[in-house]
């Protein structure tokens, strides 16, 4: 081969579309405006995350950051410890798409040890459940803040699932994704980092909504709109005009009340609590449900 032959690394870069002017980590595919908007929002949630972790672990926890950047798998993996705990917490509605947290094995052990009040803990199934619960609390706090800022009440995530894997086996978002790195002090004198990753579509939708842009339609409004459109079906046989037949005798269905027997004012007050999350502890595990569930 001649001296001018391309190296394998250069060939890989050309095939992946990485140009000479692209920032490290494949950041050329990300919108800097979106990154800045999300970083500003997340910076305002670190206090809530630290408070939740402090309450759950009994330690004085502080969370600073985040440092955000657009990156890709090749740019992100080298900065991770050899073994990581990955927690999938994808958004199922609102901004549906990929969303996960990563932390080093030592950080996961430190959090699980504080939660279980146990030294020299192993990252077994119970410990993974604890880590998932911690991430679920953090995401819940973020969703509450997102709902307040965007007015989108449909934002929800799937139940977080934690696994401990070699970093090369971590399931990361495809293409360019947004990375948010938090510095966490668990009061143990060690330095801890937790990474939060957003898939490109999630980051774009979230930033647009936080900036006051159009939001995804609420599923309930889509159903109402579809039913409203059915009102013109009655006129299809009459040249597309308004329905002119005899109005149907429609009566509302009355279901028995599931609320405790109380005065209207008391029932109204109870209704305000229906969308409040509560934690339930049972003998065989833990779950989080709405009161109305």
């Amino acid at each position: 081969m001649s001296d001018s032959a391309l190296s394998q690394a250069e060939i890989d870069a050309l095939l992946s579309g990485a140009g000479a002017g692209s920032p490290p980590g494949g950041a050329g595919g990300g919108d800097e405006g979106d990154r800045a908007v999300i970083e500003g929002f997340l910076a305002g949630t670190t206090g809530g995350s630290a408070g939740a972790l402090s309450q759950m672990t009994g330690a004085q926890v502080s969370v600073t950051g985040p440092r955000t950047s657009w990156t890709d798998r090749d740019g992100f993996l080298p900065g991770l410890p050899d073994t990581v705990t990955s927690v999938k917490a994808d958004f199922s509605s609102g901004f549906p798409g990929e969303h996960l947290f990563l932390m080093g094995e030592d950080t996961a052990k430190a959090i699980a040890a504080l939660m279980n009040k146990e030294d020299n803990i192993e990252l077994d199934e119970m410990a993974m459940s604890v880590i998932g619960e911690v991430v679920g609390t953090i995401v819940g706090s973020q969703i509450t803040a997102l709902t307040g800022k965007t007015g989108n009440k449909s934002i929800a995530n799937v139940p977080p699932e934690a696994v401990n894997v070699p970093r090369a086996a971590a399931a990361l978002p495809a293409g360019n994704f947004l990375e948010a790195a938090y510095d966490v002090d668990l009061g143990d004198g060690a330095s801890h980092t937790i990474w939060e990753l957003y898939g490109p579509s999630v980051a774009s939708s979230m930033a647009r909504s936080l900036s006051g842009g159009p939001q995804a339609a609420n599923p309930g409004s889509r159903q109402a709109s579809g039913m409203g459109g059915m009102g013109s079906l009655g006129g299809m046989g009459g040249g597309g005009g308004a329905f002119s037949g005899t109005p149907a005798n429609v009566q509302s269905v009355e279901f028995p009340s599931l609320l405790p027997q109380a005065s209207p004012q008391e029932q109204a007050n109870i209704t305000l609590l229906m969308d409040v999350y509560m934690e339930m502890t049972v003998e065989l595990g833990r779950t989080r449900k709405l009161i109305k569930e």
Side-chain angles (χ1 to χ4, degrees):
M1 297 178 65
S2 66
D3 294 338
S4 61
L6 293 175
S7 67
Q8 185 61 49
E10 291 170 325
I11 293 173
D12 292 341
L14 288 172
L15 290 175
S16 64
S22 297
D31 184 282
E32 281 301 293
D34 290 351
R35 182 202 61 76
V37 167
I38 295 177
E39 180 175 293
F41 165 75
L42 293 177
T45 68
T46 55
S49 297
L53 284 171
S54 296
Q55 185 174 9
M56 296 177 76
T57 63
Q60 189 62 41
V61 178
S62 67
V63 180
T64 57
R67 303 178 302 279
T68 62
S69 63
W70 288 102
T71 186
D72 60 14
R73 185 178 186 87
D74 291 339
F76 180 67
L77 280 183
L80 294 179
D82 291 338
T83 304
V84 296
T85 298
S86 173
V87 188
K88 290 282 285 180
D90 291 347
F91 288 109
S92 55
S93 61
F95 315 113
E98 295 175 292
H99 177 224
L100 69 148
F101 288 74
L102 290 167
M103 64 191 77
E105 185 178 37
D106 291 344
T107 298
K109 285 183 176 181
I111 292 175
L114 287 171
M115 289 281 291
N116 291 344
K117 305 295 187 288
E118 179 182 346
D119 295 329
N120 302 318
I121 196 168
E122 295 296 326
L123 292 180
D124 54 15
E125 185 175 352
M126 180 60 72
M128 291 292 98
S129 175
V130 166
I131 298 299
E133 182 180 347
V134 169
V135 169
T137 300
I138 294 174
V139 176
S141 176
Q142 290 180 345
I143 288 178
T144 299
L146 274 170
T147 299
K149 286 185 175 293
T150 66
N152 187 342
K153 298 181 180 180
S154 69
I155 308 170
N157 66 286
V158 301
E161 294 185 3
V163 294
N164 209 46
V165 295
R167 67 181 181 188
L172 305 181
N176 288 280
F177 53 85
L178 186 65
E179 164 201 0
Y182 303 89
D183 295 319
V184 181
D185 183 354
L186 297 173
D188 56 359
S191 176
H192 300 282
T193 301
I194 295 178
W195 292 270
E196 183 176 11
L197 308 183
Y198 294 90
S201 64
V202 175
S204 177
S205 299
M206 182 187 296
R208 184 169 62 249
S209 189
L210 286 168
S211 301
Q215 300 176 15
N218 187 301
S221 65
R222 285 199 299 271
Q223 294 174 0
S225 176
M227 292 176 67
M230 291 176 66
S232 63
L233 294 179
M236 289 179 65
F243 178 73
S244 58
T246 302
N249 182 17
V250 179
Q251 297 181 352
S252 61
V253 179
E254 295 185 4
F255 295 99
S257 174
L258 298 179
L259 294 173
Q261 296 300 315
S263 68
Q265 180 62 40
E266 291 172 333
Q267 290 189 5
N269 291 338
I270 292 174
T271 301
L272 295 175
L273 300 176
M274 288 302 185
D275 288 326
V276 176
Y277 280 101
M278 65 180 293
E279 293 187 5
M280 303 172 61
T281 302
V282 297
E283 184 175 358
L284 298 180
R286 296 172 180 168
T287 187
R288 285 163 52 90
K289 288 184 177 292
L290 299 174
I291 289 179
K292 65 184 179 184
E293 296 173 339

